[in-house]
Amino acid sequence: MIPFLDLNQVNAPYLEAIEKASLRVVRSGWYILGNELKAFERSFADYCGVAHGVGVANGLDAITLILKAMDFPADSEVIVPANTYIASVLPVSYLHLKPVFVEPDPRTMLLDPSRIEEKITSHTKAIITVDLYGRSCEMDQIRNLADRYNLKVITDAAQSHGALFQGKKAGSLAHATAFSFYPTKNLGAFGDAGAVTTADPELAEKVKYLRNYGSVIRYQNDYQGVNSRLDEIQAAILSVKLPYLDTENNRRRALARRYLAELQVDELILPPADRVDEDAWHLFVVRHPRRAEFVAYLDKNGIQTNIHYPQPIHKQKAYAEFNSLSLPITELIHEQVVSLPLNPVLTDEEVSYIIRTVNQFDSQA
């Protein structure tokens, strides 16, 4: 069986350095808000090309704290992509803001800039973009639109560490960007972890307060904050892995180029190839109208796949108030998407087998 992702293999090259870094933290006696975090925040901000990085507990909290720091009035509207994981939208609801779903571009499966303006009202305060599958959104169009209506742009870059758009790194393209370092991400920790990047010093400072009970001076609380701190061990682990992120992303791009060039199956819809050298290729997501049959065929032939994601947010029980919404593009995408294995430890031989097997689907079905 070719696994969809084997984290033991992914992390194997760095284990010795990670063990040393972890032991260094253990022996230091300082485990929260220390020098390891400061070092990672600085290096990750530099990597993204922004002035400020703030480590937080996870990607969900990163979005939540950005929105909380922006301090929009209750019931303000926030534009969100209809095609995304629920974590991109939950913070909007947590803060008593109103999510306004916008359909994706069926080609990229990302937020469609041409569909945003019709959803903007006098109550709209922000647009959340999501770099789904490792591709940055069309940020020039979205930023221009946001500037015209005086809106904030927040990017959920949980899947796009190291992605580029017009030569600029993910993390530098919005007013503020949220990252997750969940273990399966392109830059993954050994547990939950996240960060906020921004060029805005006031926003960065406020997020620092909010992540630590609203305090930067012990027992002095300026805001009603939360406990959402990136711990020293996770920061040390991420500092070990960050220098190798571009190398791993380049391997992902090489594999994506092979898939794009060599996969040839009737009815199989491939992701766009126009930015193959800029996308981070966190996932290689194809679409097939006979998904169940396609997935069963690959499983029978020893290829593990995944579905990102099987049910859209507006059809989830958690968002029952939106269940009656009709979002046909999003709904079709969720019925058809399949993620093929793509990760930096996948061998050329395994990729050749995957391509050969996929290309034989119609003859075997």
Side-chain angles (χ1 to χ4, degrees):
M1 173 68 74
I2 298 175
F4 183 74
L5 179 65
D6 185 338
L7 288 177
N8 281 330
Q9 286 192 55
V10 169
N11 290 313
Y14 319 118
L15 278 184
E16 185 176 348
I18 286 170
E19 288 169 355
K20 288 181 179 177
S22 300
L23 185 59
R24 180 177 70 242
V25 174
V26 170
R27 288 177 170 170
S28 74
W30 194 294
Y31 308 127
I32 298 289
L33 297 180
N35 290 330
E36 299 286 351
L37 176 60
K38 291 176 183 176
F40 175 70
E41 288 174 333
R42 178 72 269 146
S43 60
F44 190 65
D46 288 345
Y47 175 82
C48 293
V50 290
H52 307 283
V54 183
V56 297
N58 53 68
L60 176 69
D61 284 1
I63 304 171
T64 305
L65 294 177
I66 290 170
L67 285 169
K68 192 171 177 65
M70 289 180 173
D71 197 23
F72 300 127
D75 296 323
S76 295
E77 295 174 357
V78 178
I79 301 289
V80 297
N83 181 44
T84 185
Y85 183 56
I86 197 169
S88 306
V89 180
L90 285 172
V92 178
S93 306
Y94 288 164
L95 296 173
H96 306 291
L97 308 173
K98 181 182 177 182
V100 177
F101 293 98
V102 172
E103 288 266 61
D105 179 337
R107 186 182 70 94
T108 65
M109 298 184 280
L110 304 181
L111 181 65
D112 188 341
S114 70
R115 296 175 182 270
I116 295 174
E117 190 166 16
E118 65 188 33
K119 298 289 187 178
I120 295 173
T121 73
S122 59
H123 301 289
T124 308
K125 300 299 181 184
I127 302 168
I128 293 180
T129 68
V130 181
D131 295 347
L132 208 59
Y133 317 138
R135 179 186 175 100
S136 290
C137 294
E138 299 297 327
M139 294 303 290
D140 53 348
Q141 298 177 51
I142 293 170
R143 284 297 298 264
N144 287 339
L145 185 63
D147 290 345
R148 219 160 63 226
Y149 286 93
N150 194 30
L151 306 177
K152 295 295 186 182
V153 178
I154 301 159
T155 292
D156 176 350
Q159 298 184 4
S160 62
H161 315 73
L164 297 162
F165 178 76
Q166 297 180 351
K168 295 182 179 180
K169 285 263 178 66
S172 67
L173 300 165
H175 292 106
T177 304
F179 286 92
S180 167
F181 304 116
Y182 186 76
T184 60
K185 305 301 185 186
N186 288 33
L187 180 61
F190 277 27
D192 281 316
V196 171
T197 59
T198 183
D200 183 341
E202 293 182 6
L203 180 68
E205 190 68 12
K206 193 168 181 181
V207 171
K208 285 183 179 180
Y209 276 84
L210 290 171
R211 73 176 175 186
N212 188 42
Y213 304 103
S215 169
V216 292
I217 299 173
R218 196 173 189 185
Y219 304 132
Q220 180 177 310
N221 303 84
D222 294 354
Y223 302 99
Q224 295 179 15
V226 298
N227 177 4
S228 180
R229 301 172 299 211
L230 175 60
D231 69 68
E232 289 288 278
I233 286 182
Q234 298 300 343
I237 290 169
L238 290 166
S239 290
V240 169
K241 296 180 69 177
L242 179 58
Y244 303 97
L245 176 57
D246 285 344
T247 299
E248 291 197 351
N249 280 349
N250 285 335
R251 175 60 178 167
R252 290 175 181 271
R253 290 168 182 141
L255 299 182
R257 279 193 291 271
R258 285 202 59 192
Y259 279 151
L260 291 166
E262 299 177 43
L263 287 175
Q264 298 177 354
V265 179
D266 290 342
E267 299 183 288
L268 188 70
I269 301 172
L270 300 177
D274 56 321
R275 284 202 256 139
V276 65
D277 292 325
E278 289 194 319
D279 296 357
W281 296 103
H282 174 62
L283 298 169
F284 192 90
V285 179
V286 300
R287 292 167 55 193
H288 201 290
R290 291 178 285 137
R291 180 174 69 191
E293 188 179 346
F294 183 60
V295 168
Y297 164 77
L298 293 178
D299 185 67
K300 180 181 176 182
N301 285 275
I303 300 170
Q304 189 178 58
T305 59
N306 212 323
I307 296 174
H308 298 91
Y309 300 94
Q311 188 175 28
I313 297 168
H314 71 285
K315 296 299 183 183
Q316 298 279 359
K317 183 179 178 181
Y319 279 102
E321 66 270 32
F322 296 112
N323 285 177
S324 62
L325 272 182
S326 176
L327 298 169
I329 299 173
T330 297
E331 290 160 22
L332 181 63
I333 285 171
H334 283 257
E335 291 171 4
Q336 294 183 339
V337 287
V338 181
S339 300
L340 299 179
L342 192 154
N343 58 75
V345 297
L346 206 61
T347 68
D348 290 338
E349 292 74 20
E350 287 172 327
V351 173
S352 294
Y353 176 74
I354 292 168
I355 292 168
R356 187 167 62 250
T357 303
V358 170
N359 285 346
Q360 292 171 352
F361 172 63
D362 286 334
S363 64
Q364 300 293 319

